[in-house]
Amino acid sequence: SETEALIKSSKGWQELEAAASAGQLPQAVGIIAPSAVFETVTALYGRLMLGAASWVEGAHPDLIRVGGMGDKEIPKIDDCRRLQIEISLYPAVSQRRLAVIWQADRLKPEAANSLLKITEEPPETGALLFLAEEDKIIPTIKSRIWSVYIELPAEAAIKRPMPVTNQDWASWLDISRKAGAAVLLLEMQGWLAELTENEEFIKASELDSLIRAAEQRNLSPAVIQDLVFAIFKEEIPYEKILGSLR
C-alpha cells in the first residue's frame, strides 16, 4: 500500500529489515512513529517477525495486541500482566509470539514497571514491540530495547483534524491538492483513529473502507480528495460511491 511504501522508504525501517536479514533483530524493539501509522507498522513488523502466512485481516494467531488508540486504550497494569502470561505460551503457527504494546510512551509508571523483567529477559520464543508517538518511553524500559525512529516526510507528520466547517474543507482541499496519495492516506488514518476514539463508528467504518479501496485500486490524490469530499462533506451514501468504483 501507499502507507507501507512510505514507511519502508524510511531509514529506520531499512535498519530494521537489515537487522532481521542478518539475524540480529533484538527481541525487544521500540518504534517511534506518528500514531496514524501504528496499525501499518504493526502489520509490517508482524510479518517481519512472524512470517507472511496465517494473517487474516490484520490478525495472527501469534500476535498479541496490548492496548490501542485513544485515551481509553492506553494499556493498564492488568493488560501488561496478561501480556506476560500470553507471550510465554508456545507459538501456535510461527517460531515465536509477538506482543505489540501500543502507546508505550503513555504507560503509567506501574504498568511500565511491570514490564521490566519480561523486556530484559523475554522468553526464548517471545518478542516485544513498543509503539510510541514521542520519544518518551520511560528510561528503565528504553534502556532495555532497541529504539528505531520512523521519519516520514514533513507534510505527512503534521496532524490535522478531520474538516468540519466549510472553511475547514476549503483549506483541506487546497493543502491536500499538493500532497501525494501516501500522505493523504496517512492523514486519513489519523482521522480514523480520531473518529474511533470519539465513538463515531459509522463514519470510522466508512473511512476505513475508503482507505482500503484507495490502496487496493491505487487511486490518484485527486480521486481520493473527491471521494472524501463527496462522502463526508456532501454526505453522499458510501454504498453509492463504492458502486462507482467497481
Side-chain angles (χ1 to χ4, degrees):
S1 71
E2 295 278 357
T3 306
E4 286 187 357
L6 202 62
I7 293 169
K8 287 181 176 180
S9 68
S10 70
K11 181 181 177 182
W13 185 260
Q14 291 167 11
E15 290 176 351
L16 284 170
E17 286 191 320
S21 297
Q24 298 176 342
L25 195 60
Q27 285 179 271
V29 170
I31 292 182
I32 295 92
S35 60
V37 301
F38 279 6
E39 191 69 53
T40 306
V41 167
T42 297
L44 286 173
Y45 194 82
R47 292 199 294 269
L48 197 64
M49 296 293 290
L50 305 176
S54 302
W55 289 89
V56 179
E57 296 184 354
H60 187 283
D62 291 314
L63 177 68
I64 306 161
R65 292 172 178 263
V66 186
M69 290 306 303
D71 293 343
K72 298 178 182 178
E73 296 297 322
I74 299 171
K76 300 177 177 61
I77 189 168
D78 288 343
D79 301 316
C80 295
R81 286 171 175 164
R82 279 194 296 271
L83 174 163
Q84 297 175 57
I85 296 172
E86 292 185 34
I87 201 172
S88 299
L89 300 176
Y90 195 78
V93 295
S94 301
Q95 294 184 342
R96 68 187 72 197
R97 305 202 84 200
L98 172 64
V100 182
I101 300 95
W102 286 52
Q103 301 196 80
D105 52 332
R106 301 182 67 192
L107 292 175
K108 297 289 186 183
E110 61 270 21
N113 288 331
S114 73
L115 296 174
L116 293 180
K117 186 175 180 180
I118 197 79
T119 303
E120 186 166 5
E121 299 178 1
E124 186 176 347
T125 57
L128 296 100
L129 173 63
F130 292 83
L131 293 177
E133 187 163 35
E134 298 183 30
D135 189 8
K136 292 183 178 179
I137 297 175
I138 67 168
T140 46
I141 289 284
K142 188 174 180 180
S143 65
R144 291 165 166 81
I145 64 178
W146 178 33
S147 297
V148 176
Y149 300 82
I150 303 296
E151 296 183 354
L152 302 177
E155 63 270 22
I158 299 173
K159 294 179 67 173
R160 285 186 292 264
M162 191 174 190
V164 177
T165 67
N166 289 338
Q167 185 176 354
D168 291 342
W169 281 106
S171 177
W172 177 76
L173 288 169
D174 182 56
I175 294 171
S176 63
R177 190 173 293 117
K178 305 163 189 175
V183 173
L184 267 178
L185 293 173
L186 185 57
E187 182 174 33
M188 291 161 65
Q189 291 282 2
W191 296 352
L192 180 59
E194 180 186 341
L195 290 171
T196 302
E197 183 177 355
N198 293 335
E199 299 183 355
E200 296 183 65
F201 299 122
I202 294 177
K203 276 189 175 182
S205 176
E206 291 176 343
L207 184 60
D208 183 54
S209 297
L210 180 54
I211 291 170
R212 292 173 186 271
E215 291 180 332
Q216 290 169 0
R217 294 168 172 81
N218 197 27
L219 300 180
S220 69
V223 172
I224 295 172
Q225 260 195 335
D226 290 345
L227 293 173
V228 169
F229 189 82
I231 295 170
F232 298 103
K233 175 62 172 72
E234 299 185 333
E235 299 184 342
I236 297 175
Y238 179 78
E239 294 75 13
K240 185 175 182 179
I241 297 292
L242 183 63
S244 69
L245 292 177
R246 290 172 179 166

